[in-house]
Amino acid sequence: MPIVNTKSIEDKRKTAIRFIDCDIHNEVPSNEVLKQYLPTRWKNYMDMVGLRGYHGFVQNIPYPKGNPGGTRADAWLPNGQIPGSDLKFMQEQLLDPLNMEIGILNCLYRVGEQLNDEYGAALARAVNDWQMAEWLDKEPRLRASIVIPYENADLAVEEINRRASHPGFVQVLFMPRTREPMGRRKYWKIFEAAENHGLPIAIHFGGLGGNAITSSGFPSFYIEDHTDMAQAFQCQVISMVCEGVFERFSNLQTVMLEGGFAWVPSLMWRLDKHWKRLREEVPFLKRKPSEYIRGHMRFTTQPIEEPPVQDYLLQVIDHLGSDDMLMFATDYPHWDYDAPDHTFRGKFPETLKQKIFYENARSLYRFPEKE
């Protein structure tokens, strides 16, 4: 786990590298905190039921990747409070030492997996109100994703419309392990609402949709599940492209958070090849699949692929066919956090680093240019 090297950060300041962090995790400190933002009915429901999703789990985060034990050891607060739950500590440990211009919060509270849709919607409202009150209104460098009950499009749209006017909310958050592929029409109302408000759809590592993460059943070990998550992202890319989402919603942008990106070129090549032979099945696709991906999808760097030869990584980026597709992320405070001074080390083109660290995110989210 790399720890921030402040000397290296100072060196980067001298080279005028600027940072927008596209993936920071703020954690609800406890259910008791969230209850302050819930109506009495749902406070009582939380006391009685907790968080009930697939496989009968009731805890908040069932995977090592996201639970408090899966974070940087130094991210625990001195008082024992869980990492990512305190704004002041995040300012001192992340925003200030990195001289971060903007950081985007992605709260992974398991709203979208609740089997009770109305409860999921109440949790989404509470989480977003908590984010606004405790984070966005107190720290101008922070932005956030709107958390939604994405399996119920009508309720999700209500929450998007309720919070989209707040300037601190810059995208709509999904997990890649949805109950159905995201290209399906059941999600289209959500895409329409996001497009109407000029908000990208962000898809972040994780989730439990009730289906196995592999085509042959549930894996035995967490290392399998963790690695297989890239397949979940690939399935969503294929679904959204092939079911015509970007023809239907031509201004919609999507951000793939924490799913890797080295697999993207080969997926585009395969899709283009099959589209040439099978395009009569999908006549609504007016362009090659790779053109939709390049035009409508962005991918964050963390967890960055680390080939044995750095030139291989440059080749992968070249094979993407566009240097606009990558955006920097740390994944703070999780255990596989990527410090900027450990990202793109060695002889990496400064102009490309500037695009990935700053320009691409500024352009996508339409952040104003700072002097």
Side-chain angles (χ1 to χ4, degrees), residues 352-363:
L352 181 57
K353 280 199 291 188
Q354 186 62 60
K355 289 204 71 172
I356 294 172
F357 277 116
Y358 181 76
E359 290 293 344
N360 290 341
R362 188 191 66 80
S363 175

Side-chain angles (χ1 to χ4, degrees), residues 213-253:
I213 199 169
T214 78
S215 60
S216 52
F218 289 91
S220 301
F221 305 108
Y222 175 66
I223 187 174
E224 297 177 77
D225 193 288
H226 188 81
T227 305
D228 286 335
M229 195 67 72
Q231 297 179 33
F233 280 92
Q234 293 175 49
C235 291
Q236 300 294 20
V237 170
I238 294 168
S239 176
M240 295 183 78
V241 169
C242 291
E243 300 210 32
V245 168
F246 302 117
E247 275 295 332
R248 176 89 177 190
F249 308 103
S250 59
N251 294 316
L252 184 68
Q253 294 291 323

Side-chain angles (χ1 to χ4, degrees), residues 18 99 101 358 362 368-371:
R18 305 164 75 176
N99 196 28
E101 290 201 12
Y358 181 76
R362 188 191 66 80
E369 178 67 75
K370 294 184 179 180
E371 297 295 334

Side-chain angles (χ1 to χ4, degrees), residues 132-150:
M132 187 179 72
E134 301 299 329
W135 298 84
L136 301 180
D137 290 350
K138 294 181 178 180
E139 173 50 79
R141 290 172 291 184
L142 290 177
R143 306 292 188 272
S145 296
I146 301 175
V147 175
I148 59 168
Y150 46 76

Side-chain angles (χ1 to χ4, degrees), residues 329-348:
T330 63
D331 192 35
Y332 177 89
H334 292 160
W335 58 266
D336 49 357
Y337 165 90
D338 279 350
D341 54 330
H342 283 258
T343 305
F344 304 128
R345 289 176 288 180
K347 296 180 179 179
F348 207 88

